[in-house]
Amino acid sequence: DFGYSQNCAVDVLRLYINLGAVKAVQEQETSELTSQITGAIDWRREGIKHRRNEVYIDVLESVSLLLSQNGSILRNEVTGQVQMNTKLSGMPECKFGLNDKLVIDRDNYNNGNRKRGVEIDDCTFHRCVRLGKFDADRTITFIPPDGEFELMRYRVTDNINLPFRVLPAIQEHGTTKVSINLKVIANFSDKLFSTSVIIRIPVPRNTSKAKIKVSLGRAKYEPEQQSIVWRIRRFPGKAECHLSSEVDLMPTVRKKVWSRPPINLEFQVPMFTASGVHVRFLRVFDKSGYHPNRWVRYITRAGGYQIRI
């Protein structure tokens, strides 16, 4: 209107801006377009119908860790996001609840009773969320867009459940040999498992060969990465896995101290959250009274998961 943009939502603009054939716009369609772009709920159009009403919820977390040589935590945080895929008819209102003890205002929490709960440092919501109701009772109330969207994003730095514990023991024998012993312990439940686990253990630049023994998975020396790469397709919960290696070094003219880069981990743990965030309920209210199917999935991945040696 008058040259001022009324809506910048990509999912709404896609409905009306295309590169196909031009069709004459009827008067009724024009009024619907205007009401959607300038209305209070511009992210969802009216008259949506689905044969099956379904809601998919993905709680995706990335856990970062930096551990010093003596085992103290230098950096530790979880960044998470709640992704939704809604296939709901009409104009439903959804109520979404997380943990019973969910703390956003850390200052008031520290001054009052400290009951164990999930302390969220900061969070952001999709613009469909009614923030007033969230401040009142910690329930997320919203009329969802149709299809995929990110409902919220959050960050946690306290009471983090680290999925893996790594215990390295590396010893240099002069300038000709390095011995490596590594123990990796899964801290999550024995009913769960981790997939696509990759552990990169750095070795000196002048490594000639490495004899490696592992209790699970496969490991080999990869010169292009200057590391021993240990791959485990499926790592059971509460399991302990061991790696031992004897690394032979080539003699060098220039004596240079090995800088000892950190050990790096990559992993993915389904149905586990490092922050402790979980979905309590999702209720859908619509005037037609249908009952949708709901699915919730949790996935925790490695961010920068490093252990100094």
Side-chain angles (χ1 to χ4, degrees):
D1 292 346
F2 300 105
Y4 295 101
S5 57
Q6 298 292 316
N7 195 326
C8 294
V10 177
D11 50 349
V12 175
L13 297 177
R14 277 203 194 108
L15 299 173
Y16 304 107
I17 300 174
N18 58 69
L19 301 177
V22 178
K23 185 181 73 171
V25 179
Q26 303 295 329
E27 186 176 347
Q28 184 180 358
E29 292 181 2
T30 305
S31 62
E32 288 178 1
L33 186 152
T34 305
S35 64
Q36 181 174 359
I37 290 181
T38 61
I41 305 172
D42 55 1
W43 55 85
R44 184 181 182 91
R45 59 187 173 87
E46 293 185 2
I48 296 175
K49 291 184 180 179
H50 290 281
R51 291 182 62 186
R52 297 179 62 183
N53 294 292
E54 301 171 322
V55 180
Y56 299 88
I57 304 170
D58 287 344
V59 180
L60 310 175
E61 291 193 343
S62 175
V63 56
S64 298
L65 172 71
L66 179 59
L67 212 63
S68 69
Q69 289 180 337
N70 58 12
S72 59
I73 295 174
L74 302 177
R75 188 186 72 247
N76 190 17
E77 72 170 17
V78 171
T79 56
Q81 54 186 352
V82 179
Q83 294 276 359
M84 294 189 70
N85 187 0
T86 58
K87 299 178 180 179
L88 301 173
S89 303
M91 293 288 283
E93 181 177 87
C94 298
K95 280 192 175 182
F96 182 82
L98 294 172
N99 306 50
D100 289 319
K101 299 172 184 175
L102 187 67
V103 181
I104 307 295
D105 190 351
R106 294 170 58 98
D107 294 333
N108 292 340
Y109 177 69
N110 290 332
N111 294 333
N113 287 331
R114 277 192 70 91
K115 293 182 179 179
R116 184 172 177 80
V118 178
E119 298 179 51
I120 292 183
D121 290 76
D122 52 66
C123 60
T124 57
F125 294 101
H126 189 276
R127 60 199 179 92
C128 67
V129 175
R130 297 174 183 172
L131 297 178
K133 290 194 175 183
F134 179 77
D135 291 336
D137 56 8
R138 288 294 183 258
T139 58
I140 302 169
T141 306
F142 58 98
I143 295 175
D146 190 47
E148 296 182 9
F149 69 100
E150 183 182 286
L151 179 66
M152 68 176 290
R153 188 179 288 263
Y154 59 89
R155 186 171 66 92
V156 177
T157 57
D158 281 341
N159 298 328
I160 294 174
N161 304 313
L162 294 173
F164 286 101
R165 187 181 174 201
V166 181
L167 302 174
I170 297 176
Q171 191 173 3
E172 297 181 49
H173 304 280
T175 57
T176 59
K177 189 172 290 188
V178 175
S179 60
I180 300 172
N181 288 286
L182 192 70
K183 181 193 289 186
V184 182
I185 305 169
N187 292 329
F188 46 89
S189 169
D190 55 3
K191 296 179 182 179
L192 305 177
F193 60 89
S194 178
T195 59
S196 305
V197 179
I198 302 175
I199 305 167
R200 291 181 173 86
I201 307 144
V203 294
R205 286 175 175 270
N206 58 327
T207 297
S208 60
K209 62 179 181 178
K211 297 178 183 178
I212 308 166
K213 292 182 181 179
V214 293
S215 60
L216 184 68
R218 294 182 178 181
K220 66 175 182 176
Y221 167 56
E222 297 187 6
E224 64 277 6
Q225 298 193 41
Q226 297 176 19
S227 301
I228 293 172
V229 181
W230 184 10
R231 292 180 171 86
I232 303 171
R233 292 181 62 186
R234 185 184 173 104
F235 200 123
K238 299 299 180 184
E240 291 186 9
C241 294
H242 302 266
L243 176 144
S244 60
S245 176
E246 294 290 333
V247 178
D248 294 333
L249 306 179
M250 294 182 291
T252 57
V253 177
R254 296 180 180 178
K255 292 184 179 181
K256 191 175 181 180
V257 179
W258 180 32
S259 61
R260 293 199 175 199
I263 296 171
N264 265 285
L265 266 75
E266 294 178 18
F267 55 81
Q268 180 171 298
V269 188
M271 303 311 293
F272 171 83
T273 58
S275 66
V277 168
H278 68 270
V279 178
R280 258 196 310 147
F281 62 84
L282 174 68
R283 301 190 184 106
V284 178
F285 304 96
D286 187 75
K287 59 184 179 181
S288 61
Y290 60 77
H291 298 284
N293 296 319
R294 309 169 185 86
W295 285 271
V296 182
R297 180 175 61 170
Y298 303 92
I299 299 176
T300 294
R301 297 185 177 93
Y305 208 93
Q306 299 181 333
I307 295 89
R308 290 181 177 174
I309 56 176

